[in-house]
Amino acid sequence: MPGKEEVAMPEFTVHTEESAPAASKPIIGQVKATFGMLPNLMATLAESPAAIEGYSTLMGIYEKSDLTPTEKQIILMTNNRLNGCTYCMAAHSAASKLQGVPNDVIAALRSGSSLGDAKLEALRSFTEAMFVTRGNVSDADADAFLAAGYTKANLLEVVLGTALKVLSNYSNKFTNAPVDRSFQRFAWSATEEASA
């Protein structure tokens, strides 16, 4: 609007176990026990005990899905890329590497390219359709997903993974969590996609 002053986004603290609100401390302890560190995104989410608990809980539930580690990362990284979340692309590139996701799959997910494996590409395409249509995927999209060998339960797991990424990707737009040192070699920007 003309004449409307722009308001700067608030700065968020990258919390430690000591600086976080009391209700966030137990979750931070659990995260550190699981990952051996407190990722900066979660350190900023700690500002809201409900947000860090929600993210941590939803992530734990998502891990229980029937999808393979590669399939789970396809859903997460596709959403990260489409939402333009530089932090999450770096973090999930690192996580994918640790989980044994093939290098060519990681590279394709980072650039938005098609995957060589037909089943995995069906998952990537369906996840992208879910994002683009805000859940209003066509019957043809759902049929192609199921025809590739996925189940109705897997369809709901795409929604679950997308919900997890809405929480982290959208939050990071506000918090601007700095990319952790251990993820920095996987830094990503939208120009990587444009040049693919």
Side-chain angles (χ1 to χ4, degrees):
M1 285 172 110
K4 186 175 180 182
E5 290 184 36
E6 286 197 29
V7 178
M9 291 294 269
E11 286 192 30
F12 280 77
T13 301
V14 180
H15 283 290
T16 63
E17 205 160 359
E18 293 71 36
S19 70
S24 292
K25 292 177 192 281
I27 298 153
I28 288 174
Q30 292 168 1
V31 169
K32 287 171 72 175
T34 301
F35 297 108
M37 64 177 285
L38 177 62
N40 287 337
L41 176 65
M42 295 190 81
T44 59
L45 286 175
E47 185 73 26
S48 164
I52 191 173
E53 182 178 6
Y55 183 73
S56 181
T57 301
L58 194 54
M59 187 168 45
I61 293 168
Y62 181 65
E63 284 303 313
K64 295 177 184 177
S65 76
D66 288 334
L67 299 165
T68 68
T70 295
E71 290 168 330
K72 289 173 190 166
Q73 289 299 335
I74 288 170
I75 296 166
L76 300 178
M77 287 185 66
T78 298
N79 277 283
N80 291 338
R81 180 183 58 78
L82 292 169
N83 279 316
C85 186
T86 55
Y87 178 93
C88 293
M89 282 298 282
H92 282 279
S93 294
S96 293
K97 191 86 169 156
L98 284 173
Q99 294 173 2
V101 176
N103 289 334
D104 63 321
V105 172
I106 296 170
L109 292 170
R110 287 171 61 92
S111 67
S113 305
S114 294
L115 301 173
D117 178 284
K119 184 177 182 185
L120 297 181
E121 176 55 22
L123 174 59
R124 189 199 67 77
S125 294
F126 184 73
T127 301
E128 190 164 310
M130 183 75 69
F131 177 93
V132 170
T133 66
R134 296 181 185 174
N136 294 300
V137 294
S138 68
D139 290 347
D141 288 329
D143 289 346
F145 178 74
L146 296 171
Y150 290 104
T151 66
K152 291 183 284 187
N154 297 147
L155 189 153
L156 295 173
E157 290 163 352
V158 172
V159 177
L160 178 63
T162 299
L164 176 62
K165 289 289 89 187
V166 165
L167 181 53
S168 64
N169 294 166
Y170 286 21
S171 295
N172 199 54
K173 299 282 185 184
F174 293 104
T175 65
N176 278 319
V179 175
D180 303 81
R181 184 176 299 154
S182 58
F183 306 151
Q184 286 177 357
R185 69 187 181 104
F186 298 101
W188 176 89
S189 74
T191 58
E192 186 172 332
E193 179 177 358
S195 65

